[in-house]
Amino acid sequence: MKAPLSSSTSSSSGILRRSRLSTYLYTLLAFIVFLAIIHGEYSIANFGRVDPIIPSPVISTTPVKKREKVVVQLPSFAVEESEEGCDIFSGKWVKDELTRPHYDESECPYIQPQLTCRAHGRPDTEYQKWRWQPHGCDIPRFNATLMLESLRGKRMMFVGDSLNRGQYVSMVCLLHRLIPEDKKSMETYNNDALTVFRVKDYNATIEFYWAPFLLESNSDNAVVHRISDRIVRKGSMNKHGRHWKGVDILVFNTYLWWVTGQDMKILKGSFKDVEKEIMQMSTEDAYRMAMKSLLRWVTRNLDRERTRVFFTSMSPTHSKGDWGGEASENCYNQTTPIADSNYWGSDSRKSIMKVIGEEFSKSEFPITFLNITQLSSYRKDAHTSIYKKQWNPLTTEQLANPASYADCIHWCLPGLQDTWNELLFAKLFHPDLI
């Protein structure tokens, strides 16, 4: 019979077993940490890094790191590109009665009465049935489920004038049907300057902030702002900018309010000053000042690893029949797009596009440019025209001449601005597109 192990031998064996067990545990722990690091790299928000933009009119970016969930889903609507790449802003409008519109006007309760054309008597629906087709490739299909999932725990904000508000409402309409009625809400704050659509289960918001010049101005009241003598305060981005901090996706626009037909008035100092020092600048110089201020603010206040910044180019108007119609003709009673691929409306200043290209190409912070001007310039049929809520009672003379009060600035929903959001979606998830 073997002698029993001594206490010292038993103790040594126990220590050896614990040592081996500790080695296994440390190895397992190291492996878990390694997996966590790898997973962390793939979990970086989709809307982080992009590379610097290039000069106007088209500004491009390189791929953004995507979360695992997004990467898995991307192949289902991957873009087929030609060898030369895909300029999604260059193409033509094609009739599409199968997939357009994305929603019905009556289904989306968030559309303002200034944009509900059918409810205000527009007899045709053809303006809803056009799809933008880039040359040589296809736009990724707008995936509302993917968009919502990617907004989980995030804030998306549109900043600018009523045209940007239209794009904001379009985005809400594209997404809201996926959200149960008791899990969504829309509220206004800050004297209606801020509108927030809240998706409760996703802890996400889609917001609009009224700032028609981006800088502080005498038109900052979101309700009473139709002022002919417009004044902009120089270098005053912080008044509005404090509301933009912490946002994950920012979509800016500003153009129409700068085009007054005369030089812009620029305030040096404060609107509270009794004696105001005001200087005058050309539209282009004033706009350049605003772009410099915006880019300076973005660089100083936003985290490029967290926030994606977009800038939407000028939205064209069709107040003159310079597409070949009569000089007195405008968007009223127009039911088809402009077919001339070289058309560029006189109301869209190429000098402003040049300013954007020159200033953005110097930016330290990457900006993605949504060049919607050319493709929108073809859509003389898509404006609200006379089919909207009127701010004031119409006169007898106006009623006798509907073209005299047609709104050739804003766009019916559903309609053109849904395409703007398709392009925004494409650049969010396929930032390599040009």
Side-chain angles (χ1 to χ4, degrees):
M1 180 181 295
K2 291 184 180 180
L5 293 174
S6 66
S7 60
S8 60
T9 302
S10 176
S11 176
S12 297
S13 299
I15 293 173
L16 181 59
R17 285 194 298 271
R18 286 195 296 273
S19 176
R20 289 175 178 171
L21 183 58
S22 297
T23 302
Y24 295 146
L25 287 175
Y26 281 125
T27 302
L28 180 59
L29 180 60
F31 180 70
I32 292 172
V33 170
F34 173 76
L35 288 178
I37 293 172
I38 294 299
H39 181 267
E41 290 184 357
Y42 281 96
S43 297
I44 296 174
N46 298 302
F47 317 119
R49 280 191 313 113
V50 288
D51 65 353
I53 49 183
I54 60 177
S56 176
V58 177
I59 299 176
S60 65
T61 58
T62 54
V64 178
K65 291 183 179 180
K66 300 185 172 63
R67 297 184 300 176
E68 280 186 337
K69 185 170 292 186
V70 174
V71 172
V72 169
Q73 297 186 55
L74 280 178
S76 65
F77 55 96
V79 178
E80 296 180 6
E81 298 186 44
S82 64
E83 291 183 2
E84 294 77 19
C86 173
D87 179 0
I88 60 174
F89 303 112
S90 176
K92 63 181 180 180
W93 289 98
V94 297
K95 200 66 171 292
D96 183 351
E97 300 195 25
L98 294 178
T99 67
R100 297 297 186 276
H102 288 295
Y103 53 90
D104 290 330
E105 177 185 295
S106 60
E107 288 179 354
C108 186
Y110 307 104
I111 308 176
Q112 307 100 308
Q114 286 76 33
L115 306 179
T116 50
C117 298
R118 292 282 292 165
H120 287 87
R122 179 157 181 166
D124 69 301
T125 59
E126 299 306 294
Y127 66 94
Q128 301 178 0
K129 300 174 183 177
W130 293 92
R131 172 172 55 81
W132 179 246
Q133 179 62 59
H135 297 308
C137 64
D138 294 314
I139 300 174
R141 176 177 56 84
F142 186 90
N143 187 323
T145 301
L146 174 60
M147 187 72 208
L148 265 180
E149 184 59 42
S150 300
L151 287 174
R152 188 179 292 277
K154 291 183 169 59
R155 295 175 64 196
M156 182 180 195
M157 180 183 284
F158 294 79
V159 178
D161 58 24
S162 58
L163 290 160
N164 222 22
R165 179 164 53 203
Q167 186 176 358
Y168 158 72
V169 173
S170 163
M171 179 62 76
V172 171
C173 290
L174 287 167
L175 298 178
H176 88 99
R177 284 183 298 177
L178 298 181
I179 310 163
E181 200 62 37
D182 61 340
K183 301 297 183 181
K184 58 190 174 186
S185 65
M186 181 177 281
E187 299 173 298
T188 58
Y189 305 90
N190 196 19
N191 296 321
D192 291 338
L194 177 64
T195 304
V196 180
F197 178 74
R198 203 175 305 276
V199 188
K200 298 176 183 178
D201 284 350
Y202 288 77
N203 187 30
T205 59
I206 306 171
E207 308 171 32
F208 170 74
Y209 185 90
W210 171 264
F213 293 98
L214 303 184
L215 293 164
E216 181 181 357
S217 75
N218 64 345
S219 302
D220 285 344
N221 188 305
V223 178
V224 184
H225 50 245
R226 286 178 289 171
I227 299 170
S228 57
D229 189 25
R230 297 168 185 171
I231 303 173
V232 178
R233 183 185 171 202
K234 184 178 181 180
S236 56
M237 197 65 66
N238 286 333
K239 177 197 173 184
H240 299 311
R242 60 194 177 92
H243 298 282
W244 313 336
K245 293 181 180 180
V247 174
D248 300 278
I249 307 172
L250 275 165
V251 184
F252 291 104
N253 94 306
T254 183
Y255 167 67
L256 192 64
W257 284 70
W258 298 90
V259 186
T260 63
Q262 55 190 359
D263 286 349
M264 282 297 303
K265 293 184 177 181
I266 307 300
L267 172 68
K268 299 176 68 176
S270 170
F271 280 105
K272 296 180 180 180
D273 295 339
V274 177
E275 294 186 7
K276 297 178 176 59
E277 182 181 355
I278 296 176
M279 59 181 179
Q280 292 192 333
M281 300 175 68
S282 69
T283 298
E284 286 74 15
D285 287 343
Y287 195 88
R288 188 182 299 275
M289 174 204 69
M291 293 301 98
K292 287 180 179 290
S293 295
L294 172 64
L295 296 174
R296 189 183 308 115
W297 185 90
V298 164
T299 300
R300 292 176 178 176
N301 292 278
L302 299 180
D303 180 357
R304 61 188 296 154
E305 295 296 330
R306 170 183 177 177
T307 303
R308 283 292 301 275
V309 177
F310 295 82
F311 190 91
T312 304
S313 67
M314 66 186 81
S315 175
T317 66
H318 293 88
S319 57
K320 304 173 185 177
D322 54 6
W323 53 82
E326 297 293 331
S328 60
E329 193 174 19
N330 61 16
C331 69
Y332 171 67
N333 215 25
Q334 300 295 327
T335 57
T336 57
I338 295 170
D340 180 7
S341 62
N342 295 315
Y343 173 75
W344 184 278
S346 58
D347 289 329
S348 298
R349 293 198 188 184
K350 290 187 176 180
S351 57
I352 294 295
M353 295 289 275
K354 182 180 179 183
V355 169
I356 294 172
E358 290 173 350
E359 295 305 320
F360 282 25
S361 64
K362 305 171 189 175
S363 176
E364 298 177 22
F365 195 103
I367 311 287
T368 301
F369 190 64
L370 295 178
N371 191 359
I372 56 88
T373 306
Q374 182 82 64
L375 64 93
S376 302
S377 69
Y378 303 139
R379 295 302 308 275
K380 60 181 171 60
D381 62 309
H383 291 287
T384 54
S385 185
I386 66 172
Y387 305 108
K388 54 176 282 186
K389 178 181 179 180
Q390 302 298 329
W391 290 102
N392 299 303
L394 297 172
T395 65
T396 303
E397 292 76 13
Q398 286 175 320
L399 290 171
N401 180 20
S404 66
Y405 66 92
D407 182 345
C408 298
I409 294 173
H410 300 96
W411 309 94
C412 299
L413 286 179
L416 172 66
Q417 291 185 302
D418 301 318
T419 297
W420 295 4
N421 280 321
E422 287 182 289
L423 296 167
L424 171 61
F425 176 85
K427 297 293 277 186
L428 268 172
F429 297 103
H430 297 265
D432 51 313
L433 295 178
I434 61 175

